[in-house]
Amino acid sequence: MALLRRYGLYTAIAAFFLYMLYSLSSPYQPPAPGDKNRNEKPKKPVKNYDWKKLPVKNPVESLIPLPTGEPKLLPKIQFEFDEKEDATAKNIRLQRKGEVKKAFEKCWKNYRVKAWMADELKPIEGGGKDPFGGWAATLIDSMDTLWIMGIKEEFNSAIKDIENINFGWSPLDKVNVFETNIRHLGGLIAAYELSGDKRLLEKAKEVGEMLYHAFDTPNRMPITRWDLNAAGEGKSQVADDTVLLAEIGSLSMEFTKLSKLTKDPKWYDAITRVTQVLEKQQDQTKIPGMWPIVVNGKKPDFTSDSGFSLAAMADSTYEYFAKMYALMGGLDPVYEKLYSKSMTAAIKHTLYRPMTPDNADILMAGFARVQDSEVKLDPEMQHLACYAGGMFALGGKLFDITEHVKVGRKITDACVWAYKASPAGIMPEVSHLYKCPSNLNCTWNEEAWKEQIKARAGVGKEKAPEQNIANLRLPEGFTSIEDRRYILRPEAIESVFIMYRITGEQSWQAAAWDMFTAIQQSTSTDLGNAALIDVSTKDPPKMDSMESFWMAETLKYFYLIFSEPSHISLDDWVFNTEAHPFKVPKPS
Ligand code: DMJ
């Protein structure tokens, strides 16, 4: 009646039909205004910077062009799978794939109903939160998973809402350029490449135009924690003197792909200037071949600090070298050089063999600090470091280095071991293991393990080691657990998936299923999946958090390991660090 009074009969009928059409286009409906589940955006004044038209204050003299020429035929990455599949194995595989898809559909449905357009769904209370700029991170991050899982109606109906996202402004004081790049830009590019829907490329360009202004500094190094409003208002910008290696070095795949798709080299130019600094300074650091976790973007100086790791805050910079080589069709040799020198140094200085009760021949990536020219390795184990298994294995295949495939296998084995060792069947966020004196052979020594627990615990040294172990809830082999959470991260299943596709060994699928069932058992809620506070208990308490990478990465890799191996083959696609697949160029 209200519609009728306000707009007249014909408009009201048209509006009613439009509404019905919209309702039918998706089985899951977003909440109405005023509904407590609706994600109400903050009431700050909304601006809308036109990034494409905003003048660049520090233009480059000439743009670095994309390499031209025919892409090389790269070595085969995937195992030559048998066309015929055993009927029982197929049944099990399909049933498992179905379970993963069901888990995804529950999260998607509730995100749509309770947190539509928010960055994240609160999986316990319902409603949404916006830690990533309020640009619907979960929606954009999940698009290619929808496509890959064949949920095409949802994919298609979500595009019109994506078109309405305003990248011209954010309520955040500082935008994380790295996260926006890997989640939003990466997500849109992959969704476009999979579907061919031009509206997604247009949106990717909008994100690219915005992020390009983070590079508008005198030395063209990007500002990674970026005051978007200052940039939008035309203020001068300077790169920071304290920058995380991962945040400055992991913009390359997305920017390169955007340049290729748009035929505009400006994004490739922007990241190539970072690559040039990495290359120039690679041999001048305290561990030549690697760069410290903290670098100086202002100078730029990527050599001074003394902490090195393949894990958090550095990770994807290393991950992207081999992947960039593939994405460039092998036409840019610099990425092979960056990969091979950094991996040689990382193997020597950051990998260690943990001591386990079954004397497993496994490897983990720890934290290296250089003191008085001596490298000291702290045998840390981060869930984040598990990606390194896949990185070495992929790099090994791409550059034909058998040793790297073996290293990749051993790191992935360590992650599978850590999942199994934990009471909840899930690896904790950060812990320490006992480092074997040699990587070549190592025999379990219970006394030595207990002594190290005492030493690490510091407090309560007077207690018997058994008491310490019980109090600290340490599985055998662990010497401390600093962060007991599991925040739905993907790195372990990511490497397990890559190992499966590379070797064809079904044991990786079995390991994946154990991981999936353990994760589901502890994290599943009525609305989705929740991060865990403490995986060192059998029944871990939950947090009201479901990061967008759960649907973008973790569930995608679980789904793909139970899919036909030709579905998103590693010979045709290369995943960005948020698991968004980009097409690999092929020679014609
Ligand atoms: C994701 O956003 C990406 O995988 C990133 O490289 C690391 N952190 C999360 C997942 O753990």
Side-chain angles (χ1 to χ4, degrees):
M1 278 318 277
L3 266 183
L4 193 63
R5 264 201 309 275
R6 200 152 158 204
Y7 298 112
L9 180 63
Y10 292 114
T11 321
I13 292 172
F16 176 74
F17 275 109
L18 275 176
Y19 173 75
M20 288 307 285
L21 201 68
Y22 176 73
S23 311
L24 289 175
S25 68
S26 165
Y28 317 123
Q29 286 310 300
D35 183 324
K36 80 172 171 49
N37 286 318
R38 191 179 160 95
N39 171 54
E40 302 288 1
K41 300 273 184 223
K43 302 274 181 286
K44 274 197 182 179
V46 176
K47 298 186 181 160
N48 195 350
Y49 305 116
D50 188 343
W51 298 113
K52 197 169 158 48
K53 293 204 181 124
L54 190 76
V56 173
K57 285 176 145 350
N58 301 279
V60 297
E61 266 175 28
S62 65
L63 285 170
I64 303 167
L66 277 158
T68 48
E70 185 78 350
K72 289 185 184 165
L73 181 62
L74 301 172
K76 188 159 171 40
I77 305 286
Q78 287 211 158
F79 177 75
E80 205 64 70
F81 285 89
D82 205 338
E83 297 254 299
K84 270 201 247 118
E85 189 181 4
D86 170 76
T88 320
K90 184 173 179 183
N91 255 337
I92 296 174
R93 178 177 68 71
L94 292 179
Q95 185 252 328
R96 291 176 174 180
K97 186 172 87 156
E99 289 300 313
V100 178
K101 185 169 172 181
K102 247 195 260 164
F104 177 90
E105 283 175 323
K106 178 173 79 173
C107 297
W108 175 257
K109 174 183 133 201
N110 288 308
Y111 171 66
R112 233 198 203 284
V113 176
K114 301 201 173 281
W116 192 234
M117 304 311 282
D119 284 338
E120 289 171 9
L121 164 72
K122 289 190 198 161
I124 297 174
E125 190 189 290
K129 46 179 149 171
D130 284 324
F132 292 110
W135 295 316
T138 293
L139 164 56
I140 293 181
D141 235 1
S142 303
M143 285 296 278
D144 55 0
T145 315
L146 283 170
W147 186 272
I148 286 168
M149 291 186 176
I151 313 173
K152 304 254 169 90
E153 261 180 50
E154 282 299 305
F155 179 96
N156 291 326
S157 90
I159 297 179
K160 61 183 177 317
D161 289 315
I162 288 182
E163 283 188 290
N164 288 328
I165 298 172
N166 176 14
F167 286 103
W169 184 78
S170 161
L172 290 181
D173 292 333
K174 290 270 165 92
V175 167
N176 187 321
V177 168
F178 162 81
E179 298 288 2
T180 312
N181 173 63
I182 65 168
R183 298 186 199 221
H184 296 87
L185 183 53
L188 288 165
I189 288 175
Y192 165 67
E193 285 217 292
L194 287 162
S195 68
D197 193 309
K198 285 260 161 37
R199 292 172 292 175
L200 294 163
L201 180 58
E202 283 312 307
K203 214 62 195 172
K205 273 199 259 175
E206 271 181 43
V207 183
E209 292 293 354
M210 169 180 71
L211 295 181
Y212 187 68
H213 284 277
F215 286 73
D216 192 5
T217 61
N219 66 4
R220 299 296 308 169
M221 289 297 109
I223 302 171
T224 53
R225 305 293 172 111
W226 181 50
D227 185 343
L228 158 152
N229 283 301
E233 278 150 25
K235 296 194 179 136
S236 297
Q237 312 184 102
V238 182
D240 286 324
D241 47 16
T242 309
V243 177
L244 297 177
L245 182 64
E247 295 192 355
I248 200 163
S250 323
L251 305 163
S252 50
M253 286 183 71
E254 297 77 5
F255 273 46
T256 300
K257 194 52 152 173
L258 189 59
S259 276
K260 283 175 164 240
L261 292 172
T262 58
K263 309 231 177 329
D264 181 343
K266 74 180 190 190
W267 291 285
Y268 176 71
D269 169 276
I271 60 89
T272 301
R273 289 167 198 273
V274 177
T275 302
Q276 286 172 346
V277 177
L278 288 167
E279 187 199 10
K280 204 162 151 217
Q281 302 188 5
Q282 185 168 25
D283 299 327
Q284 297 159 20
T285 65
K286 290 180 180 155
I287 296 187
M290 297 180 79
W291 305 264
I293 292 173
V294 178
V295 298
N296 184 328
K298 197 170 175 182
K299 277 188 175 169
D301 173 10
F302 291 9
T303 65
S304 298
D305 219 50
S306 44
F308 295 77
S309 166
L310 287 181
M313 300 178 281
D315 45 9
S316 36
T317 287
Y318 296 107
E319 176 191 345
Y320 272 19
F321 295 147
K323 292 185 170 184
M324 270 298 283
Y325 183 84
L327 199 63
M328 305 288 295
L331 293 178
D332 202 341
V334 70
Y335 288 104
E336 181 171 9
K337 195 166 112 195
L338 290 168
Y339 171 84
S340 97
K341 281 189 186 179
S342 58
M343 293 303 110
T344 306
I347 291 174
K348 182 162 176 212
H349 295 291
T350 69
L351 298 191
Y352 69 97
R353 177 169 172 174
M355 184 174 76
T356 67
D358 58 347
N359 302 321
D361 187 6
I362 57 178
L363 286 172
M364 187 31 68
F367 174 80
R369 178 165 294 287
V370 184
Q371 266 166 357
D372 308 323
S373 315
E374 210 191 309
V375 184
K376 295 228 167 80
L377 182 63
D378 181 28
E380 194 185 55
M381 174 169 76
Q382 295 182 13
H383 192 291
L384 270 166
C386 287
Y387 86 94
M391 170 181 68
F392 275 106
L394 268 181
K397 291 300 278 188
L398 198 57
F399 301 120
D400 198 16
I401 314 172
T402 316
E403 181 57 23
H404 286 197
V405 180
K406 286 189 190 154
V407 167
R409 173 190 288 276
K410 288 185 187 183
I411 295 174
T412 314
D413 276 337
C415 298
V416 171
W417 169 82
Y419 265 68
K420 283 199 198 315
S422 141
I426 307 169
M427 178 181 178
E429 180 79 354
V430 184
S431 57
H432 276 80
L433 305 174
Y434 188 102
K435 175 183 175 303
C436 296
S438 147
N439 283 0
L440 294 179
N441 49 49
C442 186
T443 312
W444 174 246
N445 179 339
E446 188 147 342
E447 279 320 299
W449 170 60
K450 285 178 178 168
E451 277 309 306
Q452 199 161 103
I453 292 174
K454 265 208 306 194
R456 288 200 68 82
V459 289
K461 267 192 197 161
E462 64 288 349
K463 285 186 193 136
E466 285 72 17
Q467 239 177 309
N468 252 332
I469 294 167
N471 287 346
L472 299 169
R473 296 191 303 283
L474 293 175
E476 281 187 321
F478 286 66
T479 55
S480 63
I481 305 180
E482 283 71 22
D483 187 342
R484 292 169 191 268
R485 292 174 306 150
Y486 170 64
I487 63 166
L488 305 171
R489 285 198 192 279
E491 294 77 15
I493 182 57
E494 169 181 346
S495 289
V496 169
F497 159 71
I498 293 172
M499 286 311 302
Y500 172 65
R501 287 289 182 91
I502 282 178
T503 64
E505 294 162 5
Q506 278 191 0
S507 58
W508 295 111
Q509 286 180 316
W513 184 244
D514 286 348
M515 287 162 65
F516 180 73
T517 45
I519 292 173
Q520 270 297 93
Q521 155 107 25
S522 293
T523 67
S524 181
T525 68
D526 289 347
L527 303 178
N529 292 78
L532 303 173
I533 293 172
D534 184 353
V535 295
S536 62
T537 60
K538 275 222 166 85
D539 191 10
K542 298 183 178 76
M543 291 182 270
D544 205 359
S545 164
M546 188 178 91
E547 285 245 23
S548 68
F549 51 66
W550 167 246
M551 292 166 79
E553 298 193 68
T554 316
L555 287 175
K556 185 187 286 147
Y557 286 128
F558 274 123
Y559 183 83
L560 284 175
I561 199 171
F562 299 119
S563 298
E564 291 69 21
S566 57
H567 192 35
I568 317 292
S569 163
L570 295 178
D571 291 311
D572 302 329
W573 299 88
V574 58
F575 289 87
N576 89 335
T577 192
E578 189 76 1
H580 296 306
F582 296 173
K583 253 186 213 156
V584 174
K586 301 274 174 179
S588 41

